[in-house]
Amino acid sequence: MAMGITSKNHDKASRGIPRLGYDMVARPDFRTEASADLPETRTLARGRKRIGLAIALFSVGFAVIGGKLLMLGAGSLTAPTQVASAPRPMVTEGRVTRPNVVDRNGEVMAIDIMTASLYADIKDIQNREEAVQALRRVLPHLNEKTLRRRLSKAGGNVRLMRELTPRQEYAVHNLGLPGINFEKEFKRVYPNGTMAGHVLGYVNANNEGVAGIEYHIDHGDLLAQEQVAVSVDMRVQHVLRDELAQAMSTFSAKAAVGVVMDVTTGEVIGMSSLPDFDPNDPMASEDNARFSRATLGVYEMGSTFKAFSVAASLDSGLVQLGDRFDARKPLKVAGGFSIRDFHAQKRELSVSEVFMHSSNIGTAKMVMELGRDRHRSFLSSLGLLERPDIELPERGKPLLPARWTDLSTMTISYGHGISVTPLQMTAAGAAIVNGGFKVSPTFVRQDGDLKERKRVMSAQTSKSMRKLMRLVVAEGTGRRADVAGYPVIGKTGTAEKAVGGGYSRKALLTSFLSAFPADNPRYAMLVMLDEPQGTKATYNFATAGWNAAPLTGRIVRRIAPMLGLKPEGNWQSPLQSVSYTQR
Amino acid sequence: MSLFGKFDLGRTNRSVLSAWWWTVDRWTLAAVLGLAMLGVVLSLAASPAVASKIGLSSFHFVYRQAIFLAPALVVLLGVSMLSVRQVRRLAILGFAGVYVLMVATLVVGPEIKGATRWLSMAGFSLQPSEFIKPLLVILLAWMFSEAAKKTGVPGRSIALGLYGLVAVVLVQQPDFGQLTLITIVFAAIFFLAGLSWFWIAGMAGLVIAGGYSAYRMVPHVASRVDRFLDPASGDTYQIERALEAFRAGGLFGRGPGEGVVKRVLPDAHTDFIFAVAAEEYGVIAGLLILGLFGFIVIRTLLRVQEEHDLFVQLAASGLIVLIGVQSLINIAVNVNLLPAKGMTLPFISYGGSSLIAVALALGMLLALTRRRAGGTLHHGTYTKRAYA
């Protein structure tokens, strides 16, 4: 019945279809009435061809994607977006690397470590608020407003935080925030902390040296070096700082300074200025702590200066060791000013006695024998009158009298009316005891041959000075500095600090300029206490003999063995020495 | 009538299940189940990274995907047992119900990422537009076949009207991905239903005009196209990461769980799961997925080519075009052959609505492509013999 209709309608369209009207019979679930005349047969036939087209299109589509997949997998694809799709480096080198700083024995004092900085690539940030909240979750100290403002910038790479710990980096990485990247940067680390802060200095946020040896590395063209060896011996440095800190605490001093120097090379073996700071975080300390008293501060050193005056007098040949000076009465000078003695002996004193008893009157009279200019040029030859040429940028310029009068010469002879840095003092002291050669202080380890040295006084003068300085320790004001086995030579100094236009009797600056071993000194040392107070043990005396001198002794006792010095016959073990000094 | 009995007798008894078993397209069924299985396996790869990123437990999405798989399989198998007539009835009722829900998204739907496509129901969010697609396909096929049968029903006009109804809501939501999809499917069915080449040219013009106006008027469409044409013009982050994944994966992959791109790739568990799969299991796995989709699409199209009933032919073709085009677009975006488009990979991407809707579509497809006596010319040999 259906067959006839099918063939009648569209012969062309129905080609290939069996001419059987089976569908009406065979479909119990489908309407049969429409099949009475099948107007859709032509559509069906056309549809078949068009499905063929669809099959072809889909085949091409699947084939193209399959091909692209294979190429991607084989890694041989040069994608049209090659430039943009190249994997962005997650790690880039940021700040420049700096050489390690090591002490004279090769111990590390400063080193670079890798840290990560957090950056946001603004155009890759998908959801600013989500990023802000997620970052705050793992880095709670970040300021929410600042973070939001930084992420709101129009584009570019914005730094969000520096120096993430590995743990923080891991946490941020795991947030999986698009556009949040890390950059590897170098961070300067000082493993010894505060130990040698004023020698090392510190770096700024860009890892550039701005103080101390770090400054010198940048400005002395040492950045390319693998490491920079400083002259400091960390063992000595440790002892020096430890003893200074103890003394500062014991005597309730405002500050304490110590410098240990090789008398031949001028190398600074140890230098400490308390209070000090941690170069790992210099800005956490006050300006007062970052101030390097040893190299930048200038002080009226007081009687320690007499060593230079006596040396000048002896070296001029105009004064002999046997000459005597009348110290019975205060020395009246122009303008109603008079010079008095602290340990007044009220008699005529020999040069040795002037030095040993630290007579201001005697010293002033002595320098007037050789005169203003010779005294001045002698001080100048020791390097006391100008800014020292050292590696550190913290270099103090001495304060000299505006007009160098005879009165100036007299006060300067016992260390008043001139302010110099402790470092200069140490170097000048080294020259006095080393046989008479000028000493230029340095903070860099001196390798190789000794430089040609400039003689500033005769060897005989230097020898005489060593004897005089030994006398001070053996019998004079510096007795408490002596160490059994390691004889010390030195000169005490107790300066009254200039307060409000005059000098204060209460505010003292005590110092002790020393060298050891006595007969052939290898090391010079200066210790200084700012406004030390008397204690019960010192019978309330606060002069140098009671604080700076014993401090020197304690330091020498500990560092002399480290420095390879042979003890002499009367050597005692430190334990015995302690019981001896505490007696 | 005796024919039906004879045909059936050769196979098995008359129970619904065994009748289904002997008539269903078992190869396609196997491929579909394979994809569903792969979907769960790959959600293990991609989802934990996304879940922990947004603060959920690692296996949140894996569990949900597995939970959704059960109803999806029930829908797939259940719907595949329906007869052609029942499929049509399901489509009519379903379309009406889902359309109401779709309109409801505009009114009560929460706004997620700038669009209101979802409805929150009992802890799950439902995306009605996923379900409307296969249901619309059936209705369009029906209307176009009615038109071809010249039964007096203004089929083409009704079809166009139905398309318009859905399109309007999709523009409002907005969801240009789904709109593109139903437009392609509408065009495909229209084309298969015998649209003259004149109209084809006209429609092509309309699509180009529509695409261009979307490009001009909708900023994010424009920016996506610009970024595809000129990667330097803006953010190509997702695509870059996806391509990185393919390169890192190579032919054999980094190994399960070894992928890293999933941690930084947004939508790793939905739109870009293909790239994640390729990174961990290699391009080989990508080809397997592609091959399964290709197999289902080509096999189904070959089968419906033999179909003797216009409605079945159009409906089955429409459904397979829907699945095929959606998977092709998704994978093409993953491999940077098309601009970024928010389109899920059927059965593989995470998403309950998507999973169940795909199960519905494939269930209907299986139901329509089940061998019916006289349904296809392919099996005409039996009938020939019977009538001979």
Side-chain angles (χ1 to χ4, degrees), chain B residues 2 15 47 79 97 108 125 136 201 221 245 253 260-261 319 330:
Chain B
S2 64
S15 77
S47 302
V79 170
V108 297
S125 49
L136 177 67
V221 173
V260 293
V261 172
L319 288 173
N330 174 277

Side-chain angles (χ1 to χ4, degrees), chain A residues 22 25-27 29-31 39-40 43-44 46 48 50-51 55 59 65-66 68-69 73 81 84 175-176 178, chain B residues 53 85 146 149 191 193-195 231 237 240 250 263 283 290 301 305 307-309 328 331 335 373-374 377 387:
Chain A
Y22 51 81
V25 188
R27 253 183 273 159
D29 63 343
F30 206 73
R31 295 192 304 188
E40 80 269 32
T43 311
L44 260 177
R46 193 194 283 166
R48 255 161 232 138
R50 290 189 171 181
I51 288 175
I55 292 173
S59 303
I65 293 178
K68 170 111 185 190
L69 256 181
T81 60
L175 292 175
Chain B
K53 201 164 92 183
R85 191 191 299 251
E146 285 301 311
K149 284 172 190 167
F191 174 69
L195 180 64
Y237 184 81
E240 276 177 47
R263 302 209 190 109
V283 162
L290 190 71
L301 284 173
Q305 211 174 11
E307 178 59 54
H308 196 243
D309 184 280
L328 272 181
I331 298 175
V335 298
L377 301 173
Y387 278 85

Side-chain angles (χ1 to χ4, degrees), chain A residues 6 22 38 57 76 80 83 139 151 157 188 223 239 265 269 310 318 323 330 363 367 393 426 438 471 501 520 524:
Chain A
T6 310
Y22 51 81
L38 289 162
L57 284 175
S76 62
V83 176
L139 304 170
L151 289 176
N157 228 9
R188 198 61 159 170
L223 275 173
V239 170
T265 61
I269 306 298
V310 172
L318 298 172
D323 293 353
T363 312
V367 294
T426 319
K438 166 99 191 269
L471 214 55
N520 183 23

Side-chain angles (χ1 to χ4, degrees), chain B residues 37-202:
Chain B
M37 228 96 82
L38 273 177
V40 173
V41 171
L42 294 180
S43 79
L44 275 169
S47 302
V50 178
S52 53
K53 201 164 92 183
I54 61 178
L56 299 168
S57 76
S58 292
F59 288 93
H60 175 83
F61 291 122
V62 179
Y63 289 143
R64 284 174 74 105
Q65 186 79 350
I67 287 168
F68 283 126
L69 192 61
L73 288 177
V74 168
V75 166
L76 176 73
L77 299 177
V79 170
S80 75
M81 288 178 190
L82 299 179
S83 69
V84 172
R85 191 191 299 251
Q86 285 167 330
V87 166
R88 205 163 54 199
R89 285 181 182 158
L90 174 69
I92 296 166
L93 294 175
F95 183 86
V98 173
Y99 190 74
V100 169
L101 292 179
M102 243 178 97
V103 174
T105 61
L106 297 180
V107 186
V108 297
E111 184 167 324
I112 300 171
K113 293 184 188 171
T116 52
R117 302 169 188 170
W118 292 268
L119 283 178
S120 290
M121 287 161 75
F124 293 100
S125 49
L126 182 77
Q127 193 181 353
S129 54
E130 288 283 355
F131 293 92
I132 208 83
K133 289 182 294 182
L135 299 170
L136 177 67
V137 165
I138 302 294
L139 295 187
L140 292 177
W142 182 30
M143 284 303 116
F144 279 119
S145 72
E146 285 301 311
K149 284 172 190 167
K150 304 201 192 314
T151 51
V153 179
R156 289 186 176 185
S157 306
I158 296 175
L160 197 59
L162 290 171
Y163 166 76
L165 281 178
V166 175
V168 163
V169 181
L170 287 179
V171 170
Q172 292 297 314
Q173 280 185 338
D175 193 342
F176 291 97
Q178 308 280 32
L179 182 63
T180 308
L181 214 46
I182 69 157
T183 305
I184 289 172
V185 173
F186 177 76
I189 297 173
F190 208 164
F191 174 69
L192 295 180
L195 180 64
S196 74
W197 286 104
F198 173 80
W199 284 108
I200 291 171

